[in-house]
Amino acid sequence: MVRVRRKRSLTKGSPKTWLRRLMNSSRRWNKMIGFGDDEEEIIEEIGINRKPTIPSMRQRNSQLNALESMHHNEEQEKMDEIRSVLKDRRKGKAKKGVAFDAEMVPSGGGADGLRKRGGGLLSSSSGATGGEDGQETFGDSYMVVEFSEDASSESVQWIIDKIRGKKVDGGAELLVRKEPLTKETQSLVLHISATQMKFLEIADDMGFMKRSKTGIIRNFNVACLDDFFYDENMALEDILTPADRQIVIKYALENIRAAEHEHHIPGTKIQLYHGQSIIQAAQHKEIITNFYSLHCKPRLRKLRHVWVKPTKHQPIDEIRDYFGESVGMYFSFLGFYTYALIVPTVLGLLQMVLSEETETVPFFCIFYVVWMKVFLELWKRKSSAHAYRWGTITMTNLDEPRVGYYGKLGRDPITGKLTPQFPKWKTYVQMYFVTAPIIILCISIAAFVTIFQFYVEEQLAESFGLDALVMYVPSIVNAVYIALSTILYDRLATFLTDRENHRTQSQYERHRVNKLIVLEFVNNFLCLFYIAFVLQDMKMLKTQLMMQLIVLQFVQNVLENLYPYLKKKVGLMTTRLFTKSHYDRLERDFEELDQLGVLSLDGDDPRIVRNRKENILEEYNTYDDYLELYIQFGYVVLFSSVAPMTAFWAILNNVIEIRLDAYKLCSFFKRPFARRTKNIGAWQLAFETLAVISIMTNCGILYLSPQMRELATNFSAEAYAIAFLVIEHVLLGLTWFIYKAIPDTPLWVRVALAKADYESRQALKRENAQRSRNLLFRRFRSVFDSHSMLT
């Protein structure tokens, strides 16, 4: 039994003596609760060479004072109980129903805050001690890793050791469970989770920003854990959202790096360079064939119940908590854009009513320009508010190589490590001599389809007349072609961007989006530009625009909802009929994993069945949905002066699509990886570019309209052209004025950020002052002692 001295004060004596006593007490406490007695870790945390922060010092003092004040008999009982649990855990036979939780920790300070809230920060070890907790403490599966059928047992065991291993050995210290071996098993499937303490530790390391008691969003710090319980009813697991935990697990797995002496994955010929992500390398070489998250059915069912109802507002914060900031930001933008469409819809109705009596198109054109820019600037403010509340407003892109980046190993000039090096000139050669010609070829094909459509319409007009219903067939066929080619262009843009081999994920995404924007702009709007400015037939332009918009939206809604549904149903049927068992081949591998101490899920665990159902589901990303909105926005704004009712059809489509997207995301897709973001990224620039182009197109249509030419009969051709050139520049100047007049960030967000920065600087100032006082007290304690004697 470890004795706790009651009568001796820890704070008595010199600072050096006090620190030594504090370190000894901490060592005794760490031994009692099973955290190990590594002296280097203790010195790192509270040693003489590195001073603890003021909050962590207060928490440790309060814990030690509370420990000293415990009754001897009560202390004996608790310590015996803790030793019993730790002994059982070392044997891998933890008693069911006996959990080492925060109730065993003496009340006081930070530990008291955890005890009151039923927290589990100290509920289990980090998993780095070689043996894991009992199965009842595993918790939810936040990541599923499926290995290839051909993966060697040596490489699989090495990767599992990395996932479970100690951090000092390059491991992630995560909890691992394998699915049990059955007659239906085709490959090894692992379920990954972590302890509460590990979740908070990694979140601290990643620099998450969370709301504090003061209402300010600031960097999450485990040492000041109590500060983040801003609500009395909060539990420890409420600090991190389900999406946060998914991000933490994915970060921990992908952050398992190859050490300097690890040059390849054992059992394979796959080469590794120093600092390379082992999990990403295993994915790229298809040792790991599946890497995804399981849905949490209770949370998903509760979210879907509210989200799918058309009479309810979108629960944006709940969407973000479950799916992450990227998905939450998309659906917030979709809802905001749909509400904003009410303005052009009302304007379009007024334009239809009034245009029969007077020429009102120029005035409504100005209103459309103002609406577009105000909508985009107000969205920036709303996204900034989201980013602040979600703690992503200060995030920056990490300059790390993406998963598919390749090249010859070379010495990094900054870190000095061996990393893939790919010459920049090869990327430029691929962009300008391969990508650019292919895009030009696609543009040429789109131009040919457009001209061929008008040739067919001309032949049909000669045969059946202009008023025949068959005249609509070419427009419908062209709209279907556009919808189908959108899918092909998406794959083409991905393929070309992969070949360009961009180093970072942000560069990769930006170039991919740029290709999609160019291809889809030409594919969707080249026909309309040809009608407007070559044929100059405004009636045909209106018919073609409405036909493309309605047919395109219908076809896209059918494809994006029907395809995932069919894949789910057909995939489940195919899995049941054609699944081949690999029981005999996997039996030895499972026995070896059992010997290594890798525990299995229970045979009736619902996660096993859920994994088989979700394994074949389609993967979701926001690219396709943003692209669909981009195209729709183009139809609404580019030729709004000719077809004012496009906004009405757009808003009708969006009202339906919000609920359809919610249903399909909750029913027919895998749970997407949560991705932290502070805005809609490159799509913001894409929408702003369309807004600028729309000013020029609408001015051009007004310039060609017969009504405007009749009003300007007294103008010469040069004066008439100059007048529209001036109008165009005035409208561009108006958009610039709106851009400057509306700040991107709301005032309350700027004030909150300034306040958080001020509090951070003041805390650092206090900590530095305390450090300086401690240093002066140690070096010149004789002066203080003599002063105290004189007084």
Side-chain angles (χ1 to χ4, degrees):
M1 172 182 157
V2 179
R3 294 183 178 272
V4 180
R5 300 182 182 180
R6 296 177 176 276
K7 296 182 180 181
R8 186 176 181 181
S9 175
L10 282 171
T11 57
K12 185 177 180 180
S14 65
K16 191 172 182 179
T17 305
W18 174 74
L19 285 171
R20 188 181 296 111
R21 291 173 184 168
L22 181 60
M23 188 171 66
N24 292 335
S25 300
S26 300
R27 186 181 292 110
R28 289 197 297 272
W29 177 244
N30 286 335
K31 285 183 178 180
M32 283 187 275
I33 64 176
F35 284 169
D37 56 352
D38 192 346
E39 185 173 350
E40 293 182 359
E41 293 181 1
I42 297 173
I43 293 175
E44 178 72 18
E45 185 177 1
I46 60 167
I48 297 174
N49 295 328
R50 184 175 292 181
K51 307 294 185 303
T53 60
I54 295 173
S56 61
M57 184 74 76
R58 287 201 196 105
Q59 291 178 8
R60 190 170 294 279
N61 280 342
S62 61
Q63 292 172 10
L64 292 172
N65 292 336
L67 183 63
E68 290 179 347
S69 63
M70 287 175 61
H71 192 271
H72 181 74
N73 294 333
E74 183 182 355
E75 177 188 344
Q76 178 68 37
E77 292 175 0
K78 286 187 178 291
M79 292 303 107
D80 290 343
E81 187 177 358
I82 293 172
R83 290 193 187 95
S84 175
V85 173
L86 292 177
K87 184 178 179 180
D88 290 340
R89 285 181 181 176
R90 282 193 293 269
K91 293 180 180 180
K93 299 178 181 180
K95 296 179 180 179
K96 194 170 183 179
V98 179
F100 173 37
D101 58 19
E103 292 291 342
M104 297 181 181
V105 183
S107 61
D112 179 58
L114 298 183
R115 183 183 61 80
K116 288 179 180 178
R117 299 172 175 88
L121 178 60
L122 304 177
S123 61
S124 58
S125 65
S126 64
T129 57
E132 295 179 60
D133 304 319
Q135 190 166 347
E136 69 276 7
T137 62
F138 180 70
D140 295 333
S141 296
Y142 288 96
M143 201 67 64
V144 175
V145 178
E146 182 178 351
F147 288 90
S148 169
E149 300 175 5
D150 303 325
S152 66
S153 59
E154 186 179 1
S155 60
V156 170
Q157 292 177 19
W158 184 73
I159 292 174
I160 293 176
D161 286 340
K162 285 290 185 181
I163 297 174
R164 303 167 65 214
K166 292 183 179 181
K167 191 174 182 179
V168 294
D169 297 330
E173 299 182 353
L174 300 177
L175 303 179
V176 178
R177 297 289 184 272
K178 67 178 184 295
E179 290 192 0
L181 181 63
T182 64
K183 294 298 182 180
E184 298 178 352
T185 303
Q186 290 183 295
S187 59
L188 174 64
V189 178
L190 301 180
H191 293 248
I192 312 295
S193 187
T195 63
Q196 292 281 8
M197 185 176 67
K198 181 54 63 176
F199 275 122
L200 297 177
E201 177 189 333
I202 300 175
D204 191 340
D205 181 58
M206 292 180 67
F208 274 34
M209 294 186 69
K210 290 293 177 182
R211 181 182 172 186
S212 62
K213 287 180 178 179
T214 60
I216 300 297
I217 306 296
R218 63 185 182 88
N219 283 330
F220 176 71
N221 188 354
V222 175
C224 308
L225 190 61
D226 272 348
D227 293 345
F228 297 93
F229 289 99
Y230 55 85
D231 188 350
E232 293 182 357
N233 298 322
M234 280 185 66
L236 185 66
E237 57 269 17
D238 295 333
I239 294 179
L240 297 180
T241 66
D244 290 338
R245 294 173 184 272
Q246 186 198 46
I247 292 173
V248 163
I249 292 294
K250 187 171 184 289
Y251 172 83
L253 287 172
E254 293 182 344
N255 209 41
I256 301 174
R257 306 285 178 175
E260 192 171 0
H261 63 278
E262 295 170 335
H263 303 295
H264 69 282
I265 297 178
T268 68
K269 296 181 181 180
I270 300 175
Q271 297 294 320
L272 297 174
Y273 59 86
H274 184 205
Q276 184 178 9
S277 172
I278 293 173
I279 299 297
Q280 290 182 353
Q283 281 183 270
H284 187 60
K285 298 299 182 179
E286 296 184 351
I287 294 179
I288 295 176
T289 55
N290 252 326
F291 184 71
Y292 61 96
S293 290
L294 286 179
H295 279 293
C296 178
K297 287 300 181 181
R299 287 181 178 270
L300 187 64
R301 196 177 298 112
K302 182 179 178 181
L303 174 61
R304 182 173 58 188
H305 180 71
V306 179
W307 192 9
V308 175
K309 287 186 176 180
T311 56
K312 298 285 187 179
H313 290 287
Q314 289 194 94
I316 297 299
D317 287 332
E318 287 78 4
I319 296 170
R320 172 257 175 181
D321 289 345
Y322 186 79
F323 289 107
E325 287 79 10
S326 178
V327 176
M329 195 70 76
Y330 163 73
F331 280 98
S332 178
F333 177 76
L334 175 57
F336 188 78
Y337 168 57
T338 303
Y339 276 113
L341 283 173
I342 296 175
V343 176
T345 300
V346 174
L347 291 176
L349 292 172
L350 290 175
Q351 184 177 344
M352 288 185 63
V353 173
L354 299 176
S355 60
E356 296 181 1
E357 300 179 359
T358 180
E359 184 60 43
T360 58
V361 174
F363 303 101
F364 285 106
C365 182
I366 297 174
F367 281 117
Y368 273 109
V369 170
V370 174
W371 168 78
M372 286 184 296
K373 196 59 183 176
V374 170
F375 152 65
L376 291 172
E377 292 302 318
L378 290 180
W379 165 249
K380 288 182 183 178
R381 293 171 62 84
K382 189 174 181 65
S383 64
S384 296
H386 283 320
Y388 174 76
R389 289 189 296 104
W390 297 343
T392 60
I393 195 167
T394 59
M395 66 175 291
T396 57
N397 293 324
L398 298 177
D399 190 26
E400 291 190 4
R402 63 183 181 88
V403 177
Y405 183 68
Y406 58 88
K408 293 183 178 180
L409 290 181
R411 191 73 61 179
D412 189 278
I414 300 175
T415 63
K417 297 179 181 180
L418 288 175
T419 58
Q421 304 291 328
F422 189 78
K424 201 68 177 177
W425 64 268
K426 289 187 177 181
T427 298
Y428 290 134
V429 167
Q430 180 71 27
M431 289 170 58
Y432 297 122
F433 293 97
V434 179
T435 300
I438 291 176
I439 291 178
I440 293 173
L441 177 63
C442 292
I443 294 174
S444 302
I445 294 174
F448 172 78
V449 171
T450 299
I451 296 174
F452 184 73
Q453 173 193 347
F454 295 120
Y455 172 77
V456 172
E457 287 182 349
E458 184 179 349
Q459 296 299 319
L460 292 175
E462 292 179 358
S463 302
F464 301 97
L466 293 174
D467 297 330
L469 293 176
V470 73
M471 292 295 298
Y472 291 99
V473 172
S475 298
I476 296 174
V477 171
N478 185 48
V480 173
Y481 161 77
I482 291 172
L484 295 177
S485 61
T486 297
I487 301 174
L488 299 177
Y489 284 157
D490 179 72
R491 296 180 179 179
L492 177 62
T494 302
F495 172 77
L496 293 176
T497 311
D498 286 338
R499 296 288 298 173
E500 290 170 3
N501 195 28
H502 296 283
R503 185 176 186 273
T504 65
Q505 189 65 28
S506 60
Q507 292 173 343
Y508 176 87
E509 292 176 357
R510 185 172 65 252
H511 283 275
R512 182 173 179 268
V513 169
N514 290 341
K515 291 181 183 63
L516 285 174
I517 290 172
V518 173
L519 289 171
E520 293 301 333
F521 184 88
V522 172
N523 192 42
N524 286 272
F525 305 128
L526 181 63
C527 176
L528 303 179
F529 275 88
Y530 182 83
I531 297 173
F533 301 112
V534 177
L535 300 181
Q536 298 183 14
D537 189 336
M538 299 306 155
K539 184 178 180 181
M540 182 188 294
L541 174 62
K542 181 178 180 179
T543 303
Q544 182 70 25
L545 190 151
M546 297 301 296
M547 188 65 64
Q548 284 187 200
L549 176 64
I550 296 173
V551 173
L552 178 66
Q553 291 185 154
F554 175 77
V555 173
Q556 285 179 336
N557 281 327
V558 170
L559 290 177
E560 67 183 16
N561 288 281
L562 185 61
Y563 175 71
Y565 172 79
L566 292 177
K567 184 173 182 179
K568 179 180 179 179
K569 296 300 181 182
V570 174
L572 289 173
M573 187 183 302
T574 304
T575 302
R576 293 192 188 100
L577 294 176
F578 301 103
T579 297
K580 294 182 180 180
S581 175
H582 297 85
Y583 182 87
D584 297 333
R585 187 179 63 81
L586 293 172
E587 188 174 10
R588 180 179 176 182
D589 295 340
F590 272 70
E591 289 177 355
E592 293 177 352
L593 292 178
D594 290 335
Q595 295 175 0
L596 290 175
V598 181
L599 302 179
S600 297
L601 297 172
D602 291 335
D604 58 350
D605 196 303
R607 284 173 289 192
I608 299 174
V609 177
R610 209 159 70 230
N611 175 45
R612 291 172 185 169
K613 290 182 178 180
E614 296 181 17
N615 185 29
I616 49 89
L617 297 181
E618 185 76 3
E619 294 184 359
Y620 175 80
N621 64 75
T622 58
Y623 279 110
D624 297 334
D625 289 331
Y626 274 123
L627 182 61
E628 185 179 344
L629 290 183
Y630 167 79
I631 295 171
Q632 183 195 92
F633 186 73
Y635 283 122
V636 171
V637 302
L638 286 178
F639 304 98
S640 55
S641 57
V642 174
M645 289 304 295
T646 52
F648 168 77
W649 292 106
I651 197 173
L652 180 63
N653 173 81
N654 291 355
V655 168
I656 299 172
E657 184 171 358
I658 287 175
R659 309 305 168 178
L660 286 178
D661 284 352
Y663 182 76
K664 74 177 183 182
L665 187 55
C666 295
S667 304
F668 305 135
F669 284 91
K670 290 179 181 177
R671 184 177 179 179
F673 286 127
R675 194 164 58 89
R676 305 181 74 214
T677 183
K678 59 182 178 180
N679 49 42
I680 61 175
W683 294 105
Q684 179 75 34
L685 180 60
F687 280 90
E688 291 178 348
T689 303
L690 272 182
V692 173
I693 295 175
S694 70
I695 296 175
M696 294 182 282
T697 55
N698 283 286
C699 287
I701 290 174
L702 290 177
Y703 174 79
L704 296 174
S705 65
Q707 295 87 351
M708 294 302 298
R709 290 185 179 275
E710 291 178 3
L711 294 175
T713 53
N714 297 328
F715 286 80
S716 62
E718 293 79 6
Y720 184 69
I722 292 174
F724 272 90
L725 188 63
V726 171
I727 293 174
E728 179 189 27
H729 281 69
V730 168
L731 293 177
L732 290 173
L734 180 61
T735 59
W736 180 86
F737 174 78
I738 296 172
Y739 165 74
K740 289 295 183 180
I742 303 177
D744 294 348
T745 307
L747 178 61
W748 68 270
V749 174
R750 298 199 300 271
V751 171
L753 289 173
K755 187 175 180 180
D757 181 65
Y758 172 77
E759 290 183 356
S760 177
R761 285 187 283 108
Q762 289 299 110
L764 181 62
K765 185 177 179 180
R766 287 193 298 269
E767 186 172 348
N768 290 335
Q770 181 66 29
R771 218 176 265 174
S772 300
R773 284 194 295 269
N774 292 340
L775 179 63
L776 291 172
F777 190 77
R778 284 200 307 272
R779 291 189 176 183
F780 306 104
R781 60 182 178 275
S782 58
V783 176
F784 290 100
D785 290 343
S786 60
H787 178 73
S788 60
M789 291 172 61
L790 291 175
T791 56

